[in-house]
Amino acid sequence: MSFEHPDPTGYPAMARELDAHPDYRVLRRFEGPVYHPHEIPGDRRRTALILDCETTGLETTDKVIEIGMLLVEFDRETGKIGAILETLSGFEDPGEPLSPEITKITGITDADVKDHQFNDEAVERLASRADLVIAHNAGFDRKMMEARFPVFERSYWACSFVDIPWSDLGFVVAKQEYIAMMLGTFYDAHRALVDCEVLASILNYTYDGETFLSRLLDRASQPIHRVWANGAPFDVKDQLKARGYRWSPGDNGSPKSWYRDILAEQFDDERQWLRENIMQMPPYYVAANGYIRFSERMDDLGLGKRAETIP
């Protein structure tokens, strides 16, 4: 597996020789996305906004300090990216010193953000042009971006971390840096625009005859069921965690319960597994699509809010 490079013969002879040897794998520094723009029929042309943000911390009360955005067009039928339409990046001063931990992770210093402010008008313009917003950790990025830019509340979101079956495709973990390395490249991670460019290249990569973007689109277009294992006994928590369930502490009106987000087509199998391994009572579920997935509103959909049961 490797990224597409503009001129592989331009790399040092030693690297080419190692690449040809079965016992070695050469990683090349990412130098920017490489595309071969092609004309996409109008009825199949869509736009996606690939974004990433860096923040002062991991809580929703923290502040966004850097954004990166990449607006691309893609073919809805083939899942191939046609062209990069526009890019945007910038810093914003959070009004407080950055922690040493954040500077260590991101490389961003107080001097980088001092007196800077995001261009809200440009962000809103890009968001309004996008049919789809993609982030590699949409469960975090969406909440942070909506808090700073309410325009994203109206966007349809997808997550390249959870909406692509990485483990089924042979990837041990789904971290973006690891995926890039498996595809033959490395880069300076945790800078917003670079992360976006690398993600665009990953999504445009054809693997087993299908792009990763195609796989993401297939899942993102399907309704998601949030299954609540409400009433599950305490001693089965390890089984639930191993199955991919997460614990809700009961915030925002949600129940204190284990839950898992799955495709609607997986619900019958999940219900059967719960009955055989966890509890006899039927699980609750809430259906959702990309307009509310990964948002605070998704967390609001507890048992008492639009919840249904299936016998």
Side-chain angles (χ1 to χ4, degrees):
M1 296 186 291
S2 63
F3 273 106
E4 181 180 9
H5 296 281
D7 182 15
T9 61
Y11 289 95
M14 182 181 294
R16 297 200 307 272
E17 186 175 345
L18 283 172
D19 252 349
H21 196 288
D23 294 337
Y24 296 92
R25 177 179 295 173
V26 176
L27 297 180
R28 296 180 173 90
R29 179 179 292 277
F30 179 76
E31 297 179 348
V34 178
Y35 300 113
H36 300 288
H38 59 282
E39 185 64 29
I40 302 174
D43 60 336
R44 290 168 21 193
R45 187 181 301 116
R46 301 289 188 274
T47 55
L49 183 62
I50 299 171
L51 67 77
D52 182 57
C53 66
E54 303 299 340
T55 63
T56 57
L58 301 178
E59 302 298 328
T60 54
T61 52
D62 287 311
K63 298 177 181 179
V64 180
I65 55 175
E66 184 186 22
I67 56 174
M69 298 184 184
L70 203 66
L71 186 70
V72 301
E73 66 175 15
F74 67 92
D75 190 319
R76 180 62 184 86
E77 184 174 303
T78 66
K80 292 290 290 183
I81 294 175
I84 296 175
L85 303 176
E86 191 172 346
T87 64
L88 177 68
S89 64
F91 291 115
E92 182 159 271
D93 192 334
E96 59 191 41
L98 302 179
S99 70
E101 292 78 13
I102 291 301
T103 295
K104 182 178 180 180
I105 292 172
T106 66
I108 300 172
T109 67
D110 290 327
D112 291 325
V113 300
K114 183 176 175 56
D115 297 330
H116 284 275
Q117 187 173 356
F118 294 137
N119 186 334
D120 289 50
E121 182 179 346
V123 171
E124 292 178 7
R125 185 185 71 251
L126 287 181
S128 65
R129 292 180 64 188
D131 298 305
L132 177 69
V133 176
I134 302 173
H136 196 64
N137 185 11
F140 176 78
D141 289 290
R142 178 166 193 171
K143 293 172 184 176
M144 300 304 296
M145 293 298 289
E146 284 187 354
R148 177 59 181 82
F149 305 102
V151 65
F152 285 106
E153 294 177 2
R154 302 190 296 272
S155 300
Y156 195 103
W157 284 71
C159 180
S160 53
F161 182 83
V162 301
D163 288 333
I164 298 173
W166 295 111
S167 60
D168 294 343
L169 298 172
F171 294 83
V172 178
V173 295
K175 287 193 65 173
Q176 184 169 305
E177 297 96 317
Y178 171 79
I179 295 168
M181 287 179 63
M182 290 297 292
L183 297 176
T185 195
F186 70 95
Y187 66 103
D188 298 321
H190 298 298
R191 294 308 298 264
L193 186 58
V194 174
D195 282 352
C196 294
E197 292 175 339
V198 172
L199 181 54
S201 293
I202 290 172
L203 292 172
N204 206 41
Y205 186 86
T206 298
Y207 184 78
D208 285 348
E210 188 177 5
T211 66
F212 290 128
L213 178 59
S214 286
R215 292 175 169 90
L216 177 143
L217 294 173
D218 287 343
R219 172 155 181 153
S221 64
Q222 300 182 49
I224 296 297
H225 282 186
R226 172 160 291 185
V227 178
W228 295 94
N230 196 40
F234 176 79
D235 58 4
V236 299
K237 63 181 179 65
D238 290 337
Q239 289 175 263
L240 289 167
K241 288 173 66 176
R243 182 78 172 180
Y245 280 78
R246 301 171 61 188
W247 175 252
S248 167
D251 298 334
N252 302 319
S254 296
K256 291 183 177 180
S257 174
W258 292 93
Y259 72 92
R260 183 187 182 199
D261 293 340
I262 61 173
L263 295 177
E265 64 187 27
Q266 298 172 307
F267 183 80
D268 287 341
D269 290 341
E270 194 65 21
R271 175 182 57 182
Q272 185 65 27
W273 181 85
L274 286 168
R275 282 179 169 174
E276 292 177 354
N277 298 278
I278 305 300
M279 59 189 191
Q280 291 299 311
M281 62 186 299
Y284 286 84
Y285 84 96
V286 177
N289 60 24
Y291 286 113
I292 65 170
R293 284 181 71 204
F294 314 113
S295 70
E296 293 282 3
R297 286 165 292 158
M298 186 72 182
D299 294 338
D300 288 342
L301 295 180
L303 302 185
K305 300 179 180 179
R306 292 169 48 192
E308 301 177 56
T309 61
I310 293 182

